[in-house]
Structures are given as C-alpha cells and as structure tokens.
Amino acid sequence: MNTPVSSLSGLARRLVSDNLLDPDLAGKAIIQAKKDKVPFVHHLVSNGILDARIIARVAAEEFGTPVFDLGALNKDTIPQKLVDEKLIRKHQTLPLSRRGNRLFLAVADPTDLHALDEIKFNTGINTEAVLVEADKLKSTIEKYLSSQEEPLSLGDGLDSDLEDLDVETIDTNASTGDESTEADEAPIVKYINKVLLDAIKGGSSDIHFEPYEKSYRVRFRTDGVLHEVSRPPVNLATRMAARLKVMSQMDISERRVPQDGRIKLKVSKTRAIDFRVNTLPTLFGEKIVLRILDPSSAKLGIDALGYEDNQKKLYLDALAQSQGMILVTGPTGSGKTVSLYTGLNILNTAEVNISTAEDPVEINLEGINQVQMNTRVGLTFAEALRSFLRQDPDVIMVGEIRDLETAEIAIKASQTGHLVLSTLHTNSAPETLTRLLNMGVPAFNVATSVSLIIAQRLARRLCPTCRKPATDIPEEILKQEGFDDIGIPRAEFQLFHPVGCDKCNGGYKGRVGVYEVVRITPEIANLIMEGGNSLQIARVAKEAGFNNLRVSALRKVAMGLTSLEEANRVTKD
C-alpha cells in the first residue's frame, strides 16, 4: 500500500511519527473505520492495534490538553436528554457537563471535528472536547445509556414550541417520498423550525441561509442590520435547502433557477406568520432568503409609526380626500408597505371598496380585495388597474409605479374620483415629482393629481434601559450636523449614545420611522408646471414648513429616540 506519512492527518500522523503505528496500517485502519462507521481511535482500540492509554498520552502531548479520568466523573453533572442516543453511539462521545452555552464532550480523538459540529448543530449549543481514554469512554457510555429509563429524544432540550409548529401550506408526508429518511430529517426539521421561531421572537425582518465552499451561515436582519446567528455543518446545506423548498411549495428538483414561494407558520391558535421565500443559485448551492411578514405590523396604528403631529395630520387629511394620489417613497426595507397598509386599515370600512395590485401580496388584509401580479400570464400593474376601474372602486393601491403606462392609468384614476396610493423608489419627496416627470408624465397631470408624498427611512431606536447621555459632542459639531435648523432650542434637548445590554442589540431595540411628508401646495404645483427641478422643489417645500428627512432624523435624535450615528447612517449622503 505504501501510505506516505504526509498523506495522514491529525492523531494518525502523530502516532506514525512516534513509530507507534505503521503508515500502511494507519491508512488501512482509517479506511476500515470509515467503512464500519466508527471513530478511528475506537477502531484501533477495539481491534487491539494500540492500547487506549498510549493513544490518550500521545493525544495529550500533541494537543497540550490533560487526560480526564472518567472514573472521577460525577454522573449528576451529565446533561439529561440533551444529546440523542444515536449520536452518542455514532461518535462514541459522552456529554459531561454544560456551562451556559458550552457543552463539554468526552472524546478519545480531539481532531474529530465532525462529531463536535454535528452535536452542536443538533443541540444548538457550542461544544468543547475533553480528552479521555477510548476503552473507558466506551464502557462509560454503555453504563450511561443502560441507566436511562427511555431513549434520548432527538431535539429534546430545544424549545418545546418546535413540536407544536404547524406549516399550513405543505403536505408533511410528501417531503422526500422515502419514509426511511424521516428519522434522519428530524434534526433538520427541528433546526429550521427553531431558526424561524428565533427570528420571530427576536423581531427580525429577514432570514438568510447562505452556503459557501467550506462553511454555511445563517443570518438575521434585526432592526435593519444583519448579524450572524448560526453556522450549521456545510454538508447539510442541500438538505436544509430541500426542507425550506418543501415548506414553501417549490420544486425541490430545480436548483438552476431562482424560485419564489411562501410559508404560513402557525405559532399559536390565534397567530400565524407568513414568510416570503426566494431561492438564488450561487456558486456553492442555493442561497435562500425569507422575508418575515407579520400581519400584526400592519395594524399598529398610525400613532405607533413615529410620525410627528403635523406629519400625521397631513397623512390623515390626505386619506380623508375622495380623490387624489398619495405616494410613499424610499429604498427597500424602509417601511413603505407598513405605511401603506396603515392607511388602508384606516380606510377599510364596510362603505368603502378597496382594491390593491401588489407584487407580491405581503400581508393579507380582511375586507380588502388584493390581487397578486403574474407577468407570465399578462397580469401586470397596468392590466390590474384597468380592471379595477371597471369594479366600482373607491380606493386603489398600486404596489409600485414602475413604468409610464402604470403611472398614466393611476393618475387617470386619481382624476376621476378615486383615491390612489402607491410607492416609488426615490430618495426624497422632491425627487419623486421629478421622477414622474422623467417617466414622461405631463407636468399638468403631476401637479393636479399628486396630493401628498411621504419619503421615509427606518432608524434604530435607542434602548431606553442602557442609553447614556452624549456629553462628548462639541457644540460646533452639532451646528455642522444641522441642529440649528430643527426648531428645538439647544437647552431643551439631550443627545444619547448607544451602550448595549441584555435587553437590546448593541444599544438599540426596535426601530422608529423618519419621515418627510410634503403636501402639494399651489406654490409647489406652479413650480412643477414651470419645469422646476428637485432642488427648487425642496427649497419651496422647506419654506412651506415641511421638514426634510435630515431635519426629521435630527429631531428624533433631539427627542432621545435614536443616536446621531444612526441618523447619519440613514439620512446623511
């Protein structure tokens, strides 16, 4: 066989280097251990190739760790029903104790990282190896398992809610078509459920499942910022992708093109959460992103969104009109959908006929006729709008004005006795008006149809428990940042810095809206008719008393709701 020493790794290489094991014998032992599905060290000991004490001594010298005497083990410290019996037997490892989020595992080979990773994945707890002698470990495991009244259950130790989750949109018996794999898939099912629950409990808006060449990463977007929450074994990437695709009713055999799906998860008898799911083929597998759509967010009420009193009045006055167009603008993730749905909820009464054209329909609202766009069959925003006008509508909501055709039909609807709500992807209210003009909408139609524009951002809200006064910011810096323009005397406000505690995420907890609400006044309408640009419109809007996004953000800082750093992140160019 002539196995070179350089081809060996880990403990096997050290045993050969110390002339305790022949290279060819080591190579054969590694191959046979894999065939028998047992750890390499246990193969050596059980076949009498090497003594367990010798292996333990060499491992201790190689990795600089003492050998733990299992004879001194206090059985009361062993975590009960935390690691499944099959995993204990498969990897010949035993949980010794748990301290916080660390689980100490007795192993005969500290280089067996696969065992540590798989147990970490199944328990959700960080694992740490404790070196022991292989023969003593085997006998201790048998004693431990035989003393158990019932087998350990895979997933025990996880949140009990995981057993009660109900995914409405799937046939749970049709995941793979192979009943023999159900036990193997149980950890995947429970892990995915746990991730979804953790994201919901943490108030996250998105979940990212990301495969890479040598790792797999799960991240949550919480309060607008992504952070890593887990690194499951990379060899489980395909199985996790398949599980998510089954849950969202996608084609699990199709991995070459992006797919869209939806999950409806019942977390209690009275509450269900929707997830919008998208897959994207990447170099090392399918990246899957879930957008969490919580219906309760659409029913917060306008007072919870962060509008200042004058801004709220402008929005409510516009909603009270029988015709006109209200436009909400901002980048993806700025809260446009919640603002629109909040307005629709205010209008949603038995006397009003409301129809919406959305792509996709994010949150289902009782009493509102919601239409999902489907370009493959010709159902576009423009086509839906034409149909709405034949359905005796009072209020129309268009998910987004993307082209001239949609804009023209929406404006026509707003001019013929309908209230129209929609969104655009622009940075500010003045830029929204010039964007419509650039699309080709005549200036007269823009000036006479648009009644209100709301530009918005979401800033992270300071944690009220741990925020600390910001006494280190010079007055000159405050002037440069624009605090002289916010309309609040310097003596009447205090700035705060984020700190961070066990009740928040790095000093922030939740988000607050920052708004620029501009009503189209006669002066602004005249300027539009004269071909004024966004800078000129912004100046006239400021003179009319409408705060821009920057001033609104600084006012939130002065109120102690967010920090100057956060205001700069969301509004400063």
Side-chain angles (χ1 to χ4, degrees):
M1 187 173 177
N2 295 324
T3 303
V5 177
S6 59
S7 67
L8 301 172
S9 61
L11 190 56
R13 184 170 185 171
R14 174 60 189 265
L15 292 170
V16 171
S17 299
D18 286 2
N19 296 319
L20 295 171
L21 196 60
D22 178 76
D24 287 344
L25 185 57
K28 291 177 182 177
I30 292 172
I31 294 172
Q32 192 60 46
K34 287 182 179 178
K35 286 182 179 179
D36 296 340
K37 296 182 179 180
V38 297
F40 169 66
V41 171
H42 289 273
H43 174 80
L44 295 179
V45 174
S46 60
N47 287 279
I49 299 174
L50 272 180
D51 184 75
R53 283 175 293 179
I54 294 176
I55 297 175
R57 175 179 56 78
V58 172
E61 293 174 358
E62 176 71 8
F63 304 109
T65 180
V67 180
F68 178 73
D69 182 9
L70 283 172
L73 174 65
N74 181 359
K75 293 181 176 58
D76 293 334
T77 66
I78 299 178
Q80 301 297 311
K81 298 184 179 182
L82 185 59
V83 181
D84 183 65
E85 178 183 346
K86 288 191 293 184
L87 287 178
I88 292 175
R89 292 192 184 279
K90 174 183 176 182
H91 297 298
Q92 285 295 293
T93 184
L94 181 68
L96 298 177
S97 63
R98 176 180 178 179
R99 296 178 193 166
N101 198 38
R102 285 197 302 169
L103 179 64
F104 294 90
L105 297 171
V107 297
D109 182 0
T111 65
D112 189 3
L113 300 180
H114 177 63
L116 299 175
D117 288 343
E118 189 168 354
I119 292 173
K120 176 183 176 181
F121 171 74
N122 278 272
T123 61
I125 304 170
N126 293 323
T127 53
E128 191 167 320
V130 176
L131 180 62
V132 297
E133 295 176 17
D135 53 352
K136 291 183 179 179
L137 176 58
K138 185 176 182 179
S139 62
T140 304
I141 288 174
E142 292 303 324
K143 290 178 182 178
Y144 169 72
L145 293 177
S146 63
S147 68
Q148 303 300 297
E149 295 181 1
E150 56 182 358
L152 294 179
S153 172
L154 227 157
D156 285 340
L158 295 180
D159 200 312
S160 60
D161 291 340
L162 303 183
E163 298 291 346
D164 302 326
L165 290 183
D166 176 20
V167 181
E168 286 190 348
T169 59
I170 68 167
D171 177 1
T172 54
N173 296 319
S175 58
T176 64
D178 182 1
E179 293 182 1
S180 64
T181 64
E182 289 183 3
D184 294 334
E185 293 304 315
I188 301 293
V189 172
K190 291 189 177 182
Y191 175 75
I192 295 293
N193 287 349
K194 185 176 189 298
V195 169
L196 301 188
L197 271 181
D198 287 348
I200 293 168
K201 292 175 180 176
S204 301
S205 61
D206 301 86
I207 310 171
H208 293 241
F209 293 85
E210 302 171 312
Y212 298 99
E213 184 177 10
K214 296 181 180 179
S215 64
Y216 193 92
R217 179 171 66 176
V218 179
R219 292 192 291 174
F220 292 169
R221 185 179 294 279
T222 306
D223 295 337
V225 178
L226 278 169
H227 62 280
E228 184 177 311
V229 295
S230 179
R231 278 188 175 265
V234 68
N235 63 319
L236 297 177
T238 303
R239 290 163 62 189
M240 286 198 288
R243 171 60 183 167
L244 287 165
K245 288 162 76 175
V246 166
M247 293 173 73
S248 33
Q249 291 187 313
M250 297 181 190
D251 182 355
I252 63 172
S253 64
E254 180 56 76
R255 303 177 184 174
R256 300 164 297 174
V257 297
Q259 296 188 65
D260 290 293
R262 205 176 182 96
I263 299 171
K264 190 177 185 68
L265 198 67
K266 279 192 173 181
V267 294
S268 70
K269 292 181 179 180
T270 59
R271 187 184 180 201
I273 303 292
D274 285 333
F275 296 83
R276 193 178 75 208
V277 187
N278 177 264
T279 68
L280 178 69
T282 66
L283 194 59
F284 301 107
E286 290 179 288
K287 175 177 178 177
I288 302 179
V289 176
L290 285 71
R291 166 65 59 88
I292 302 174
L293 309 172
D294 188 351
S296 63
S297 65
K299 300 176 181 178
L300 292 174
I302 194 168
D303 292 327
L305 299 184
Y307 287 96
E308 294 191 41
D309 290 341
N310 61 324
Q311 295 175 332
K312 181 175 70 173
K313 184 177 186 304
L314 288 170
Y315 191 15
L316 292 175
D317 287 347
L319 290 171
Q321 302 300 311
S322 60
Q323 67 180 49
M325 180 180 287
I326 300 173
L327 296 174
V328 182
T329 181
T332 301
S334 60
K336 299 189 299 295
T337 300
V338 173
S339 286
L340 281 178
Y341 282 172
T342 299
L344 291 178
N345 269 319
I346 292 171
L347 298 171
N348 187 14
T349 65
E351 295 80 25
V352 179
N353 178 20
I354 304 175
S355 295
T356 72
E358 304 176 60
D359 186 21
V361 175
E362 295 197 359
I363 297 174
N364 299 324
L365 298 176
E366 186 73 24
I368 294 177
N369 308 292
Q370 296 174 274
V371 179
Q372 169 73 52
M373 297 302 93
N374 188 344
T375 55
R376 286 180 294 182
V377 298
L379 182 53
T380 62
F381 283 121
E383 191 61 35
L385 278 173
R386 290 192 189 96
S387 180
F388 288 169
L389 293 176
R390 298 190 291 270
Q391 291 267 324
D392 184 32
D394 295 301
V395 178
I396 294 172
M397 193 272 272
V398 187
E400 182 183 352
I401 295 178
R402 298 175 179 172
D403 51 50
L404 177 59
E405 184 182 18
T406 304
E408 286 180 334
I409 299 172
I411 283 175
K412 180 182 177 181
S414 71
Q415 292 174 334
T416 54
H418 307 95
L419 181 62
V420 178
L421 290 79
S422 189
T423 71
L424 277 172
H425 280 89
T426 56
N427 291 325
S428 66
E431 288 177 34
T432 302
L433 295 168
T434 56
R435 171 74 184 278
L436 289 172
L437 296 172
N438 292 337
M439 277 185 179
V441 179
F444 173 79
N445 283 341
V446 174
T448 57
S449 302
V450 179
S451 55
L452 188 76
I453 302 175
I454 301 172
Q456 65 181 76
R457 301 291 188 274
L458 288 176
R460 289 181 292 172
R461 187 187 292 266
L462 281 168
C463 173
T465 302
C466 64
R467 66 177 187 174
K468 69 173 184 179
T471 57
D472 56 343
I473 304 177
E475 292 297 321
E476 186 62 32
I477 297 296
L478 296 181
K479 290 182 181 180
Q480 292 175 10
E481 293 289 351
F483 280 92
D484 286 350
D485 300 326
I486 67 174
I488 303 176
R490 177 66 186 91
E492 295 181 13
F493 66 83
Q494 171 68 60
L495 275 63
F496 292 89
H497 282 316
V499 177
C501 64
D502 57 0
K503 296 182 180 179
C504 65
N505 295 311
Y508 298 98
K509 186 176 183 180
R511 288 190 285 182
V512 61
V514 175
Y515 302 95
E516 176 184 20
V517 182
V518 176
R519 179 171 55 83
I520 306 305
T521 63
E523 293 77 16
I524 295 176
N526 287 333
L527 188 55
I528 295 170
M529 295 287 291
E530 295 169 1
N533 59 38
S534 59
L535 294 177
Q536 292 170 318
I537 295 172
R539 187 183 68 251
V540 173
K542 181 179 179 180
E543 292 171 353
F546 303 128
N547 290 332
N548 60 27
L549 282 168
R550 179 63 181 170
V551 170
S552 294
L554 293 179
R555 285 180 62 87
K556 292 289 193 297
V557 174
M559 294 174 191
L561 297 176
T562 190
S563 65
L564 179 58
E565 300 94 323
E566 186 66 5
N568 287 339
R569 184 181 72 87
V570 298
T571 65
K572 200 168 185 178
D573 295 333

